[in-house]
Amino acid sequence: MGKKFLFILRRSPQQGARVRETLDMLLTVAAFDQPVMLLFLDDGVYQIKRGQSPESVGLPAVAPTFEALALYDVEAVLVERESLAERGLTESDLVIPAEAIARAEIAALVADQDVVVTG
Amino acid sequence: MERFFSSMKYAIQINSAPVQSQSVHSAQQFIKAALAEGHEIIRVFFYHDGIYNGFAVDAAWPALARQHGLDLVLCVSAAERRGMAAGASAELAEGFRFGGLAQWVDAALKADRTLVFGG
């Protein structure tokens, strides 16, 4: 009874502790051996940008959690190419390897999932 | 007799506090409409600031739970993070219970559709 899960992160690490809880959700899904993917979109790309320090505004550091993703069976970590470019970023600015996908491909990606959660 | 109607099973996730946005009201309206059409609500899972629904004076959730036997599950770790899972603050409104993320995954796996209210 497997289902395909996609988690979409769209908020910057300075926009609250919520991303941490979304990651807890993702890790629980992975622990249930379900195929799970993670997509960074819009300001969500700052979540994995090098040199972020959400702790300086009293929010938890999430970068270590993202580094732990490799330990779980996360099928793909994706980042929208246009979201990076619009913010003057490239894949080399990221703390974890992420596969860049084009904005035009997002709709098909979402349509292919069983469960989509934004966080 | 041929059946044109097929009933669906829904898992619902609520992410916002009662007065934070219109999404809680939208969720309640959706649940009422779905039940009226003969669909099934497997579980309503309250996450992020959605956990505050379990402590609200609003009678809508308890009434829905009473009338339809809804399973209203409040994430215990999200509640703990907000200081709402111990002592007097752990007094839940009628119809709610504490649970874990595994219950959300379980509901999502059993459901035909998982709907997330509150972004």
Side-chain angles (χ1 to χ4, degrees):
Chain A
M1 202 171 59
K3 292 208 169 173
K4 291 193 269 186
F5 288 77
L6 171 67
F7 288 82
I8 303 179
L9 299 183
R10 308 182 72 165
R11 294 158 202 247
S12 79
Q14 285 77 23
Q15 278 177 282
R18 191 169 144 157
V19 65
R20 182 58 185 269
E21 292 184 329
T22 304
L23 281 179
D24 285 345
M25 202 165 228
L26 179 150
L27 296 178
T28 308
V29 171
F32 271 71
D33 287 327
Q34 302 298 312
V36 54
M37 292 200 282
L38 180 59
L39 168 67
F40 296 91
L41 205 62
D42 304 332
D43 280 349
V45 300
Y46 289 119
Q47 294 286 351
I48 49 171
K49 182 189 169 291
R50 223 176 282 285
Q52 294 291 287
S53 50
E55 56 278 24
S56 65
V57 289
L59 290 166
V62 286
T65 315
F66 288 116
E67 284 158 15
L69 282 179
L71 305 175
Y72 291 83
D73 204 8
V74 177
E75 210 161 81
V77 177
L78 307 167
V79 59
E80 193 199 55
R81 190 171 290 126
E82 288 83 347
S83 294
L84 284 177
E86 286 162 4
R87 289 162 183 80
L89 302 173
T90 67
E91 286 155 79
S92 62
D93 293 308
L94 308 177
V95 293
I96 53 169
E99 184 188 331
I101 73 162
R103 185 163 289 168
E105 298 175 80
I106 305 277
L109 172 78
V110 170
D112 190 43
Q113 309 302 314
D114 295 306
V115 180
V116 179
V117 178
T118 53
Chain B
M1 191 178 138
E2 205 174 345
R3 280 192 66 189
F4 293 101
F5 173 79
S6 87
S7 147
M8 297 269 275
K9 294 187 185 117
Y10 290 95
I12 309 283
Q13 181 186 336
I14 311 280
N15 290 340
S16 6
V19 291
Q20 195 176 359
S21 74
Q22 98 311 330
S23 59
V24 171
H25 183 252
S26 299
Q28 291 167 342
Q29 296 304 107
F30 174 83
I31 289 168
K32 283 183 205 167
L35 291 169
E37 295 288 326
H39 301 294
E40 185 187 338
I41 306 294
I42 293 178
R43 183 166 295 142
V44 185
F45 189 78
F46 297 84
Y47 202 45
H48 303 300
D49 285 351
I51 63 111
Y52 292 114
N53 284 276
F55 308 95
V57 287
D58 176 12
W61 286 120
L64 274 173
R66 226 177 4 253
Q67 286 161 20
H68 306 287
L70 287 186
D71 188 15
L72 307 180
V73 176
L74 219 71
C75 177
V76 70
S77 50
E80 268 170 8
R81 199 169 274 128
R82 291 163 180 79
M84 302 298 278
S89 62
E91 296 280 332
L92 292 177
E94 182 199 342
F96 287 87
R97 66 184 175 107
F98 282 118
L101 280 169
Q103 276 151 321
W104 176 77
V105 180
D106 173 65
L109 290 179
K110 287 176 181 155
D112 298 306
R113 296 282 187 279
T114 300
L115 299 185
V116 183
F117 289 87

